[in-house]
Amino acid sequence: MTAGSSPAVTVAVPRPPVRRRMAGVVLVALCAVAVDAISKVWARRELADAPVPLGPLELRLGFNSGVAFGIGAGAPGWLVLTVTGLVLAALLLAALRLRPWPAAGLVVGGGVANLADRASDGTVTDFLSAGWWPTFNLADTFLVIGVLWITVHAWRADPRRARTHPTK
């Protein structure tokens, strides 16, 4: 160590208790489900006649019988629901350990919203179209944002969940 420099100090970032994290995940998930459900009701009512141009996106009503972005559209409904439910259950279990928990709530909420939509009539209502990508909905958006958030956080986080800060 050179003169005038300070030793590095490892500071553990505290995690909220499991119950508080889970409550936060559930709260964010419920908000995502509610916003998505309202948007899908609106889309079915307002976009049934014609699409609405909206800058780089177009509001265009569509229905997806596949798992994600139309993949597996020919699969039996029970299989699609089973696969979706199993993935959602795994995400919910992982949410207990994930950090940041709001991102886990977005992933779980997006998954629950699409599962609930699919369970009602075998399809998921989509209405956001970029033209070059399959039509999607707010639940898909929540899922992608949550996964990206978790990925960036994991990429930047120290494996021991601690950060090294020099003392002043």
Side-chain angles (χ1 to χ4, degrees):
M1 182 163 49
T2 62
S5 66
S6 301
V9 176
T10 302
V11 178
V13 179
R15 290 179 60 153
V18 172
R19 280 189 175 174
R20 191 164 9 143
R21 280 196 321 269
M22 196 58 191
V25 168
V26 169
L27 179 63
V28 171
L30 288 173
C31 289
V33 169
V35 168
D36 180 72
I38 291 166
S39 72
K40 288 174 180 173
V41 167
W42 175 86
R44 285 196 287 298
R45 183 181 309 132
E46 299 297 325
L47 301 175
D49 296 331
V52 176
L54 191 64
L57 288 177
E58 181 177 69
L59 302 178
R60 173 184 297 274
L61 186 60
F63 299 95
N64 176 2
S65 61
V67 178
F69 306 116
I71 298 169
W78 66 268
L79 180 61
V80 173
L81 277 173
T82 302
V83 168
T84 306
L86 289 172
V87 169
L88 185 59
L91 289 171
L92 189 56
L93 290 174
L96 290 171
R97 305 189 74 225
L98 288 177
R99 202 171 172 182
W101 58 262
L106 289 173
V107 172
V108 171
V112 167
N114 277 339
L115 184 63
D117 191 17
R118 182 175 311 286
S120 67
D121 66 358
T123 64
V124 172
T125 304
D126 290 328
F127 59 91
L128 298 168
S129 175
W132 53 272
W133 188 258
T135 306
F136 56 101
N137 57 46
L138 289 181
D140 298 330
T141 305
F142 297 146
L143 274 161
V144 169
I145 290 170
V147 167
L148 287 174
W149 188 352
I150 291 165
T151 302
V152 168
H153 184 271
W155 180 67
R156 294 180 61 200
D158 180 50
R160 296 172 304 215
R161 295 186 186 262
R163 298 189 188 266
T164 303
H165 300 285
T167 58
K168 299 199 179 208

